[in-house]
């Protein structure tokens, strides 16, 4: 899994949590993770102690309230509030510190409305029964976090007990946890969530959706895993990941660190310098309570017909790949996909609207830069039904367009296949996409290498895995070359990811207000 693309100048993150010198917990974990992710932490400790209290007398003590507040004031005066990309609030030693943190967040938002605020409401652990006996901070501190910091957060990362206490609700199931998280009114990543036997989950909850990312339950878990997950979640959210993607990636990396720590028989988290270089595949996520699969499909033309990659939006079934002899067969697949994303033009101009094809193709090239040549200009509609290359070439020129390449002519039969199936009523289901635009959108930049090279395959495969597709679906290539080439499968998979983005309402549309052709078909590329 490759690290999300970052700007050249490191973004700063304000950390408001504990400093534990001799144990890999608290702000030391957060700062380490964020630094390895290319961010710059600016750390104001709420407490300075020598070791985790579970190991014996911790030494040190809370940062005095006046010292903590004064440090925040000076940090803000130095420009931090305006430049910080995010604020991570964790452990607090007094209610006055919480109030100072809340004031700092308000001032930061006034100077920088886009600042991301993540609150890890560190206050206790134990059964999810809302019993204050399981708090390990003063109840007044926990109440201050609940009342002053949770409402200011863009994301909260409680464990199951903390969610129970904050919401005042005993939690017996994932459904209870979802309801409790929604009652707090903030997107949440809930750790130690109920999952299957021998499993543990990270529950991602928004007002509209919930996802459970499950991983193996480890017999022993080192301290600091909550701090680790909160920092990883902040990193992913700053990189533009959705909440479900954040849960999958943060849970996968946390599990890899826990496994690595166990292998080395270490008592503290082992955070190698290569944390973000580890070959970690995101774990699968499912929608709790879903009654059955809800499929979308991405389609790419190939020698054997159409290669389809199907994704279950509910996460009940794993993604799958299949060959279809024709477009109609794909539309009627047994999974009954309700969103179809196809790498082929939909909608054709009768006469050119500008140089370089349809508006969507011109905008796609602008995004792709060095990969712009992968977007060809679609033929004009008068050329579409020509029975030979020469006839199509002549018809396109007669309608005011340029010449047509042999490559375009070779796929015009597939264009006709889709055009004959399409109606304006069907466009709620069927969408035009372009794999290279999808890859650029997902990665934050165009691909560096051509897709048919080993390097190009590797970078595209990494993007797809980073966005939740299992490696063994795509590699090694499962189809005979005479049926489908390896790049056909990666293109179909990219189309499937776009189909999922379309279904979830997060897809890019080029242009934003698409024109329609003479048949009323929308001319747009989605990614």
């Amino acid at each position: 899994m490759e690290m999300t693309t970052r700007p050249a100048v490191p973004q700063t993150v304000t950390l408001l949590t504990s400093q534990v010198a001799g144990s890999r917990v608290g702000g030391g974990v957060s700062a380490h993770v964020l630094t390895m992710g290319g961010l710059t932490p600016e750390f104001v400790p709420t407490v300075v102690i020598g070791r985790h209290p579970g190991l014996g007398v911790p030494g040190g003590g809370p940062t005095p309230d006046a010292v903590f507040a004064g440090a925040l004031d000076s940090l803000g005066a130095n420009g931090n509030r305006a430049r910080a990309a995010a604020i991570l609030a964790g452990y607090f030693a007094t209610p006055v510190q919480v109030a100072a943190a809340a004031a700092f967040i308000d001032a930061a938002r006034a100077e920088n409305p886009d600042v991301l605020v993540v609150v890890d409401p560190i206050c206790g652990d134990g059964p999810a029964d809302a019993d204050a006996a399981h708090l390990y901070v003063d109840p007044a501190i926990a109440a201050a976090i609940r009342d002053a910091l949770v409402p200011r957060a863009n994301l909260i990362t409680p464990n199951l007990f903390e969610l129970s206490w904050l919401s005042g609700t005993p939690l017996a199931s994932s459904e209870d946890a979802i309801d409790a998280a929604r009652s707090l009114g903030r997107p949440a990543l809930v750790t130690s969530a109920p999952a299957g036997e021998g499993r543990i989950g990270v529950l991602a909850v928004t007002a509209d959706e919930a996802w459970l990312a499950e991983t193996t339950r480890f017999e022993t878990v080192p301290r600091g895993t909550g701090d680790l997950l909160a920092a990883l979640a902040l990193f992913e959210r700053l990189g533009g990941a959705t909440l479900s993607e954040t849960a999958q990636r943060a849970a996968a990396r946390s599990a890899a660190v826990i496994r690595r720590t166990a292998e080395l028989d270490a008592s503290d988290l082992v955070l190698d310098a290569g944390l973000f270089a580890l070959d970690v595949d995101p774990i699968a996520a499912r929608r709790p309570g879903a009654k059955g699969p809800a499929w979308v499909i991405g389609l790419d033309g190939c020698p054997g017909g159409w290669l389809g990659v199907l994704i279950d939006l509910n996460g009940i079934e794993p993604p799958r790949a299949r060959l279809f002899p024709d477009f109609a067969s794909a539309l009627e697949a047994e999974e009954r996909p309700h969103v179809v994303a196809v790498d082929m033009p939909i909608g054709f101009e009768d006469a050119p609207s500008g140089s370089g094809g349809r508006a969507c193709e011109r905008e796609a090239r602008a995004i792709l830069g060095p990969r712009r040549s992968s977007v060809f200009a679609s033929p004009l509609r008068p050329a579409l039904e020509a029975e030979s290359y020469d006839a199509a070439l002549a018809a396109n020129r007669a309608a005011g367009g340029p010449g047509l390449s042999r490559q375009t002519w070779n796929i015009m039969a597939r264009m006709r296949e889709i055009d004959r199936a399409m109606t304006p009523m069907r466009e709620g289901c069927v969408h035009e996409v372009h794999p290279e635009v999808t890859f650029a959108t997902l990665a934050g930049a165009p691909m560096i290498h051509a897709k048919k090279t080993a390097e190009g395959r590797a970078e595209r495969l990494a993007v797809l895995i980073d966005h939740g597709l299992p490696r063994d679906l795509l590699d090694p290539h499962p189809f005979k070359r005479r049926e489908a080439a390896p790049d056909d499968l990666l293109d179909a998979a990219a189309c499937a990811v776009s189909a999922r983005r379309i279904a979830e309402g997060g897809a890019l549309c080029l242009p934003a207000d698409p024109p329609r052709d003479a048949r009323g078909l929308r001319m747009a590329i989605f990614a």
Side-chain angles (χ1 to χ4, degrees), residues 151-521:
R152 288 172 165 82
N154 299 109
L155 174 66
I156 59 174
T157 61
N159 63 34
L160 203 62
F161 164 74
E162 290 161 345
L163 175 63
S164 177
W165 192 89
L166 292 169
S167 64
T169 309
L171 309 177
S173 66
S174 290
E175 287 71 23
D176 291 343
I178 292 167
D179 291 341
R182 286 178 175 156
S183 75
L184 296 176
R186 287 290 173 260
L189 288 185
V190 183
T191 61
S192 64
E197 185 175 354
R199 311 281 289 171
I200 195 166
V202 174
L203 188 63
V205 184
T206 69
D208 304 313
E209 290 193 319
W211 290 89
L212 182 64
E214 296 184 23
T215 187
T216 302
R217 183 186 291 274
F218 295 91
E219 289 186 13
T220 58
V221 177
R223 299 177 180 91
T225 54
D227 305 302
L228 171 65
L229 187 128
L232 289 169
L234 184 151
F235 172 85
E236 293 294 347
R237 292 295 273 176
L238 273 185
T242 66
L243 196 62
S244 62
E245 291 172 338
T246 296
Q248 291 173 272
R249 298 175 191 173
R253 282 207 188 282
S254 295
V257 170
I258 295 169
R259 190 175 299 111
R260 173 74 169 152
T261 301
E263 289 170 353
L264 296 176
D265 196 26
S267 58
D268 277 336
L269 288 172
V270 175
L271 298 173
D272 317 284
L275 172 65
F276 287 98
L278 291 173
D279 189 16
V280 178
D281 295 349
I283 58 180
R286 60 178 175 84
R287 282 191 170 105
K291 303 302 182 185
W295 295 97
V296 298
I297 189 171
L299 292 171
D300 186 63
C302 62
W306 293 90
L307 183 52
V309 170
L310 294 116
I311 296 175
D312 171 19
L313 296 177
N314 290 335
I316 297 170
E317 296 284 346
R320 55 187 65 165
R322 187 180 310 145
L323 276 170
F324 299 92
D326 51 47
F327 186 66
S329 299
L331 292 181
E332 297 301 320
E334 62 180 342
E335 292 87 354
R336 291 294 187 266
H338 67 274
V339 173
V340 177
V342 59
D343 178 19
M344 200 62 65
I346 297 175
F348 299 88
E349 295 178 326
D350 287 323
S353 61
S355 176
R358 302 171 301 163
C360 56
E361 291 155 357
R362 298 193 295 270
E363 291 196 19
R365 288 190 204 97
I367 287 175
L368 291 179
R371 304 250 74 84
R372 67 175 66 87
S373 62
S374 65
V375 181
F376 61 83
S378 297
L380 299 172
R381 184 169 288 283
L384 198 60
E385 295 297 333
E387 296 182 357
S388 70
Y389 171 67
D390 289 340
L393 181 64
N396 211 64
R397 285 176 171 163
L404 291 177
S405 68
R406 286 280 183 181
Q407 182 183 11
T408 301
W409 166 251
N410 289 339
I411 61 173
M412 281 177 63
R414 297 195 186 280
M415 297 184 203
R416 289 192 292 270
E417 190 179 354
I418 295 178
D419 191 57
R420 289 165 184 168
M422 281 302 297
T423 66
M425 292 293 291
R426 187 164 255 169
E427 69 181 19
C429 169
V430 182
H431 299 71
E432 176 184 346
V433 296
H434 191 287
E436 287 301 301
V437 179
T438 295
F439 283 122
T441 301
L442 298 179
M447 296 290 95
I448 297 170
H449 304 285
K451 67 179 183 178
K452 293 184 182 293
T453 65
E455 297 84 357
R457 173 174 173 77
E459 66 175 335
R460 288 164 179 78
L461 185 62
V463 170
L464 294 170
I465 291 170
D466 198 31
H467 284 81
L469 291 181
R471 185 182 299 273
D472 58 9
L473 175 74
L474 308 169
D475 189 49
H477 183 62
F479 296 97
K480 297 176 181 178
R481 300 295 182 105
R482 66 175 181 270
E483 296 175 331
D487 59 288
D488 293 330
L489 180 57
L490 297 192
D491 283 350
C495 294
V497 174
S498 282
R500 182 177 64 195
R501 287 166 55 84
I502 292 165
E504 294 175 346
L508 174 70
C509 179
L510 303 175
D513 184 17
R516 294 183 178 275
D517 72 1
R519 288 188 53 212
L521 300 179

Side-chain angles (χ1 to χ4, degrees), residues 1-23:
M1 183 165 62
E2 290 191 343
M3 191 175 70
T4 305
T5 302
R6 297 282 168 189
V9 177
Q11 295 174 296
T12 62
V13 177
T14 306
L15 301 181
L16 311 176
T17 189
S18 60
Q19 172 67 65
V20 184
S23 298

